[in-house]
Amino acid sequence: TWGGQISSVNLHTRMLAASVVVRAEGAIAGNTTGNQFVVIPSLVLRANHLYVLLGAGGSGKTTVMESLIGLQTLRAGRISFNTFFGQSNKSRSLMKMAGEVAHVPSELQLIPSLTAEENILLWAKLCSIPTEKIRQRLLELSRQFHLKCLNTESSKLSASERRLTGICCGFICSPRLL
């Protein structure tokens, strides 16, 4: 396995609707040609909890995240997500999960010629939010994250404004897992 260890730390233990969102059992993921892989022996992520994935560079944090959302093929074991419980990640369709899971990379690539609002609206369209609900959700997010740059072209946003816009892109679909 890769050097280093990956830790999951439960920082928030509110028990409201503490249903299991993700469960991994004996999952092994990584490249299929080399000897670099990550083992997830047992992992349970619950709704309304906050988890942090910690590890040194190259320890497999990205591989774990990609495995959880179905972007990484498993060598063994299974990862179940919400209503897809019991299905291997090969049988999960990312399109079926699009409104349920959101991944916001640390450097989300916004379309520079679009405004912050247009970038967020593009994500809303990708996850098929009903048109009548998009504006309401955008207003909620802009208030919640104090996003005052909605009409600013993305190429002119500060680093923090780009980051907040990216986070809003992730939250626009009201995902169960971010």
Side-chain angles (χ1 to χ4, degrees):
T1 63
W2 279 313
Q5 292 206 352
I6 299 172
S7 302
S8 174
V9 180
N10 185 344
L11 297 177
H12 183 94
T13 55
R14 276 185 11 209
M15 294 308 290
L16 298 173
S19 61
V20 173
V21 176
V22 176
R23 181 184 308 271
E25 298 167 356
I28 300 175
N31 66 30
T32 56
T33 56
N35 61 358
Q36 292 185 333
F37 57 93
V38 66
V39 177
I40 310 169
S42 177
L43 175 70
V44 174
L45 303 180
R46 298 185 182 278
N48 297 319
H49 283 66
L50 177 64
Y51 298 90
V52 176
L53 192 59
L54 301 172
S59 64
K61 298 177 299 293
T62 299
T63 301
V64 169
M65 294 307 297
E66 288 177 351
S67 298
L68 293 178
I69 64 174
L71 291 176
Q72 188 74 237
T73 302
L74 294 181
R75 292 178 169 189
R78 72 180 191 169
I79 295 176
S80 307
F81 178 78
N82 197 23
T83 57
F84 303 94
F85 186 77
Q87 298 178 12
S88 70
N89 83 338
K90 287 183 181 178
S91 64
R92 288 183 292 165
S93 163
L94 283 175
M95 289 311 291
K96 287 180 185 174
M97 292 174 58
E100 302 266 341
V101 176
H103 175 64
V104 180
S106 57
E107 287 299 322
L108 178 69
Q109 297 300 311
L110 300 173
I111 300 172
S113 60
L114 298 180
T115 64
E117 178 178 2
E118 291 166 335
N119 271 283
I120 297 167
L121 293 176
L122 177 62
W123 280 68
K125 291 290 185 186
L126 290 174
C127 63
S128 304
I129 295 178
T131 307
E132 63 276 4
K133 293 187 178 190
I134 292 175
R135 288 281 167 205
Q136 176 189 348
R137 184 73 181 131
L138 181 63
L139 184 59
E140 289 169 6
L141 288 173
S142 64
R143 285 183 184 152
Q144 184 177 359
F145 290 102
H146 307 285
L147 194 63
K148 305 205 184 306
C149 60
L150 289 175
N151 295 319
T152 305
E153 201 173 275
S154 295
S155 62
K156 296 181 174 126
L157 295 174
S158 70
S160 63
E161 289 170 332
R162 281 194 307 275
R163 188 74 192 121
L164 283 174
T165 300
I167 291 169
C168 288
C169 286
F171 274 112
I172 192 74
C173 299
S174 301
R176 292 186 55 130
L177 177 66
L178 177 69

